[in-house]
């Protein structure tokens, strides 16, 4: 059974049909990269998957459980929050809580969800995740004391702390200098090597090709082409994909 089945997702903003029927499957342990021009709908798709936007049509199924059905969308905020927990989301801007340390940022949501039980396990897990992100000496620093790359790695640890089925990234390095980009891509690659299930929207074509199992090329609200990442990016079939990739990949 696929871990995620996305079927015919459509989304309109005012008069613009931004998603025109997106469908794809993903297997547990797989990394998918989503590429495509600015405005093609990549962020909107991730937001629909994470219930930050409500799609107009289509279905989203995780581990066989239909979380979203455009014909009967859930409107109850509490229900939405519960469904959102299946997905983790790491944004371009790290959005850490400035008043909390790195460790507090990572443990805050799980501690609230656990309502007091298992506190020491949650803190141990938070420390382990920060260590995995190469931040064992930064746990008690506040966001303003961290570089952009370090803040983004805290944001990744924070998303992992809620144990999502699928971790989504929306251009996780586009706010970073090239130097700091490398350190963030390195930890994402380590997660891919450990078979973390991930969807990564990125403009880093070499990374999308080398780290992902599968790639999806979105164009004007549709999936124009999808397939094994290496093949799609090195040898696309569609003229439009070729045009997009030309000059972006060495
Ligand atoms: N809340 C909104 N209201 C109206 N239009 C929106 C809204 N969010 C997105 N759009 C429009 O939807 C289209 C797709 O936007 P989206 O952000 O999903 O593209 P993208 O592929 O992520 O682009 P980029 O690569 O620049 O991040 C754009 O034309 C955008 O202006
Ligand atoms: Mg975007």
């Amino acid at each position: 059974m696929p871990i995620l089945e996305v079927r015919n997702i459509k989304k309109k903003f005012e008069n613009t049909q931004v998603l025109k029927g997106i469908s794809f499957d993903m297997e547990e342990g797989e990394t998918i990269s989503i590429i495509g021009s600015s405005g093609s709908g990549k962020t909107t798709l991730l937001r629909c998957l994470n219930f930050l936007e409500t799609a107009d049509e289509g279905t989203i199924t995780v581990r066989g459980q239909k979380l979203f059905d455009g014909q009967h969308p859930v409107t109850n905020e509490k229900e939405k929050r519960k469904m959102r927990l299946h997905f983790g989301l790491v944004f371009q801007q790290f959005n850490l809580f400035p008043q909390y340390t790195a460790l507090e940022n990572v443990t805050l949501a799980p501690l609230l969800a656990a309502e007091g039980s298992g506190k020491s396990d949650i803190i141990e897990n938070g420390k382990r995740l920060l260590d995995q992100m190469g931040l064992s000496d930064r746990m008690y620093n506040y966001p303003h004391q961290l570089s952009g790359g370090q803040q983004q790695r805290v944001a990744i640890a924070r998303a992992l702390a809620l144990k999502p089925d699928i971790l989504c990234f929306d251009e996780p390095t586009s706010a970073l200098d090239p130097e700091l980009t490398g350190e963030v891509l390195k930890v994402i690659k380590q997660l891919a090597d450990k078979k973390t299930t991930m969807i990564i929207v990125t403009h880093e074509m070499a990374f999308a090709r080398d780290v992902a199992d599968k790639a999806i090329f979105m164009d004007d609200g549709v999936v124009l082409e999808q397939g094994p990442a290496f093949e799609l990016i090195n040898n696309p079939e569609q003229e439009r994909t070729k045009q997009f990739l030309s000059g972006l990949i060495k």
Side-chain angles (χ1 to χ4, degrees), residues 53-74:
E53 298 285 357
T54 306
D56 303 322
E57 278 184 54
T59 59
I60 300 169
T61 306
V62 173
R63 297 189 193 281
Q65 183 194 351
K66 200 177 277 182
L67 296 184
F68 177 79
D69 183 344
Q71 295 189 322
H72 316 279
V74 167

Side-chain angles (χ1 to χ4, degrees), residues 14 40 47 59 69 93 107 114 119 127 144 149 152-153 166 202 218 231 242 244 246:
E14 285 123 45
S40 57
R47 290 177 59 83
T59 59
D69 183 344
Q93 290 300 343
T107 55
K119 191 173 169 192
K127 288 182 179 171
H144 77 270
Q152 189 59 309
R153 285 181 282 145
I166 300 146
T202 181
M218 279 181 67
E231 266 143 75
K242 284 182 195 165
F244 171 75
S246 71

